[in-house]
Amino acid sequence: MMHHVFITCFGLFCLVWSRAVPPGHVVHEMRLSSHPQLSKRMHPDVLLPVRIGLKHSKDALENAERWLMEVSHPHSPKYGQFWSQETVIDVFRPSDEAVEAVGRWLTSSGIAKHRITHSDNRGWFAFDATVQEVEFLLHTEYLHDGQRRASVGCNQYHVPAHIQQHIDYITPGKNSNDELASCDEVITPACVRALYNFDAADPTAPVNPDNSLGIFEEGDFYTQEDLDLFFSNHTSYIPNGTHPILNSIDGGHAPNNWTDFPGSESELDFALAYPIVYPQSITLFQTDDMYYAQRDASKSGWFNTFFDAIDGSYCTYSAWGETGNDPGLDPIYPDLRNGTASDEDIYNGPLMCGVYKPTNVISISYGVYEMDLPAYYQKRQCDELLKLALQGVSVVQASGDTGVGAGGYEDCLGDNDVFTPTALNSCPWITNVGGTTVVKGNTVYDPEVAVNNPWQDYSSSGGFSNIFPIPAYQASAISHYFKHHNPPYPYYHNGNWNQTKGIYNRNGRGIPDVSANGDKIAVYWSGAPSLSGGTSASCPIFASLLNRIVEERLKVGKGPIGFVNPVLYMYPGVLNDITNGSNPGCGTEGFRAVEGWDPVTGLGTPDFGRMLGLFLSLP
């Protein structure tokens, strides 16, 4: 697959081509001497943002000074009659002959028309292409300086003689360079693409209507105004007004506006998912009316009404001593309370059972702790996750943001020193996503580390379940972890934390499975640019990449990928192993990220190219 690199230029764009330049081509720009810092050959698959500047209209340039004096000289009858921006663009725009000639050259050289953008002022052609493609186009060779903030350059490049008169100069896009150079400070869609080895999908490509990415939300609401600001500033290929398909569950509503209750979680989910999956659609499972959606989930149930809506049999499913929803924990519909909420905040209809079809991939950036809910409640939900997996549904959940503990929400178990696993994460039939970060001063081409942000009291949740045992697909990875990286803490078995001095369960399901960036994420909130984070960011990144993989499989006549954990644990090489960082909590350093699987970052972060190749090779 392609890699992205966004670059710092030294004025010119490339180096001399090692093969013979074909007849009819001329040097367009040349250095008088080779640049001393550019000595390493560029990989042919690296993706470069190419910008071709076209020359302004010759007539306009010849008359420009006269026109300026007409509106500027105090004795001119046209003094002060300034031109509109539209008039300036129209008068100075390159000739139709120039646009057509350069366009034909690009398409005949293998740069497909749908890849090329013509700037609003008509003065630029812009497209992304691999080093190999542009070397062929310009008959040159690229080198870089070997530094982390890669600088790329050349000594000379060539263009056909018959179009040279139309071209001003050719260069990489400096805006892209600036964006990628600051990924240690702000994670934008370009940073995510570079981190995980994928390209934005062709926004004009047809997509499978049955492959919408599902995103769960409750008590948190996106605003279209913030989404449009994000699209305009970070993903101009996504039109303003693009929004998720609303699957309202038991009175759930969206979007809100700036004057109501904009939600930071929803804004984060969509700001990360749309740039990855577009033009695929997103389905929003907005769950529960306002009264229930804003309750304290750590003191009540969660997710059951969502499962009811996508699987009608769950409404009456009997397991672990409970049939249907728990009347002491879950919402009760119709919501008939009077005088406690406004009419628009309550849902008076019946409980929604089986009204929606689950999407192929579902992203859930919400959760609680195992200690918050009865074990029977969690086991019944875990059964439902297994049934969804049997249907080919991939359910992906954020591992949590409180290290091995419960952060500021609840205390740790025991004497505030026993590690506290998260839920639904501990269910073996879900894919948990931990958090990583780009270290300050590093680039997207350096290894990430486990996120641990002391200023925001945030680190990647991980550990071992007190309810669910180690699943078979995870047994070898956990055995390797204990054998080679045994944690320095006393432990217990079978979830019996209150009968021992141990502080973690030695034979529990390990959390997380994988990880992705979850720190310093660019978003818009209430009309202003902001930074966000948490494994709530990591989850939609990983889920969106899975949805892209499903799309590619559907194109070749294959099906969804369903429960991905057995494949990933069998082929961990498709992930980038994270070996630095920790997840402190409960008065300890927590666990450490090490070689192989660990209870901080799991198997590691996605390499989309390798993952895609693996899943396409499967039946």
Side-chain angles (χ1 to χ4, degrees), residues 15 111 119 179 191 239 260 396 404 463 471:
L15 249 180
I111 309 299
S119 64
E179 189 172 33
C191 301
D260 290 331
V396 184
V404 295

Side-chain angles (χ1 to χ4, degrees), residues 264-265 268 456 458 518-523 530-534 536-537:
S264 57
E265 177 59 60
L268 179 63
Q456 296 181 346
Y458 155 48
D519 197 25
K520 300 168 288 192
I521 308 294
V523 297
S530 182
L531 295 180
S532 186
S536 292

Side-chain angles (χ1 to χ4, degrees), residues 306-541:
F306 168 56
F307 291 146
D308 291 334
I310 61 174
D311 178 5
S313 69
Y314 188 72
C315 289
T316 56
Y317 175 59
S318 295
W320 307 100
E322 185 163 66
T323 298
N325 292 350
D326 191 313
L329 293 171
D330 294 320
I332 298 174
Y333 296 112
D335 187 349
L336 300 178
R337 65 194 72 253
N338 294 314
T340 60
S342 61
D343 289 342
E344 63 267 22
D345 288 342
I346 60 176
Y347 170 66
N348 289 321
L351 178 69
M352 299 177 72
C353 295
V355 296
Y356 298 119
K357 181 181 178 181
T359 53
N360 292 325
V361 180
I362 298 173
S363 176
I364 302 176
S365 291
Y366 297 74
V368 290
Y369 300 95
E370 282 188 339
M371 66 181 181
D372 292 330
L373 295 167
Y376 66 81
Y377 188 97
Q378 297 177 59
K379 289 179 179 179
R380 182 174 176 271
Q381 290 186 333
C382 193
D383 285 355
E384 178 63 17
L385 289 168
L386 185 149
K387 289 189 290 183
L388 288 170
L390 283 172
Q391 299 171 61
V393 177
S394 308
V395 182
V396 184
Q397 186 181 20
S399 73
D401 303 338
T402 55
V404 295
Y409 305 109
E410 298 283 350
D411 294 331
C412 297
L413 294 168
D415 295 326
N416 293 330
D417 60 351
V418 178
F419 297 170
T420 310
T422 49
L424 297 165
N425 310 89
S426 55
C427 174
W429 320 126
I430 200 168
T431 301
N432 292 290
V433 189
T436 57
T437 187
V438 177
V439 175
K440 179 68 175 176
N442 281 8
T443 76
V444 291
Y445 303 110
D446 295 305
E448 292 182 87
V449 303
V451 65
N452 179 11
N453 190 328
W455 294 276
Q456 296 181 346
D457 193 25
Y458 155 48
S459 62
S460 180
S461 287
F464 300 90
S465 172
N466 286 324
I467 297 176
F468 299 98
I470 300 171
Y473 66 78
Q474 200 180 39
S476 176
I478 290 182
S479 175
H480 180 275
Y481 170 73
F482 285 141
K483 180 179 180 180
H484 296 281
H485 309 285
N486 196 33
Y489 308 121
Y491 54 84
Y492 52 89
H493 287 92
N494 303 322
N496 295 320
W497 59 268
N498 56 350
Q499 300 176 17
T500 174
K501 294 186 180 297
I503 63 173
Y504 75 94
N505 189 26
R506 187 76 166 187
N507 62 343
R509 187 266 204 261
I511 306 166
D513 300 299
V514 294
S515 51
N517 196 282
D519 197 25
K520 300 168 288 192
I521 308 294
V523 297
Y524 274 79
W525 189 72
S526 293
S530 182
L531 295 180
S532 186
T535 58
S536 292
S538 314
C539 180
I541 290 175

Side-chain angles (χ1 to χ4, degrees), residues 25 100-113 115-116 127 133 136-137 139 160 162-163:
H25 284 67
E100 292 171 3
V102 176
R104 282 195 302 269
W105 167 56
L106 293 175
T107 55
S108 66
S109 300
I111 309 299
K113 188 174 182 179
R115 296 170 56 186
I116 304 170
F127 57 94
E133 286 179 309
F136 175 80
L137 179 72
H139 303 284
H162 73 279
I163 65 166

Side-chain angles (χ1 to χ4, degrees), residues 534-550:
T535 58
S536 292
S538 314
C539 180
I541 290 175
F542 202 91
S544 298
L545 291 175
L546 292 183
N547 215 69
R548 286 277 298 269
I549 290 172
V550 172

Side-chain angles (χ1 to χ4, degrees), residues 542-574:
F542 202 91
S544 298
L545 291 175
L546 292 183
N547 215 69
R548 286 277 298 269
I549 290 172
V550 172
E551 184 75 12
E552 294 305 312
R553 282 176 56 86
L554 293 175
K555 287 179 182 178
V556 295
K558 298 184 177 183
I561 52 180
F563 183 50
V564 298
N565 289 15
V567 173
L568 297 180
Y569 278 88
M570 183 171 288
Y571 299 101
V574 299

Side-chain angles (χ1 to χ4, degrees), residues 25-79:
H25 284 67
V26 295
V27 173
H28 191 64
E29 289 189 282
M30 175 188 291
R31 294 185 186 278
L32 296 179
S33 59
S34 299
H35 196 286
Q37 296 180 17
L38 303 181
S39 59
K40 298 183 181 298
R41 187 77 168 86
M42 289 289 291
H43 191 281
D45 290 338
V46 169
L47 201 65
L48 298 174
V50 183
R51 305 295 180 262
I52 299 179
L54 304 179
K55 289 184 177 179
H56 289 314
S57 162
K58 182 178 180 181
D59 289 340
L61 292 175
E62 291 175 350
N63 289 283
E65 182 176 349
R66 175 175 62 83
W67 292 334
L68 177 61
M69 290 300 102
E70 285 180 347
V71 300
S72 304
H73 195 283
H75 295 161
S76 169
K78 295 184 178 180
Y79 175 76

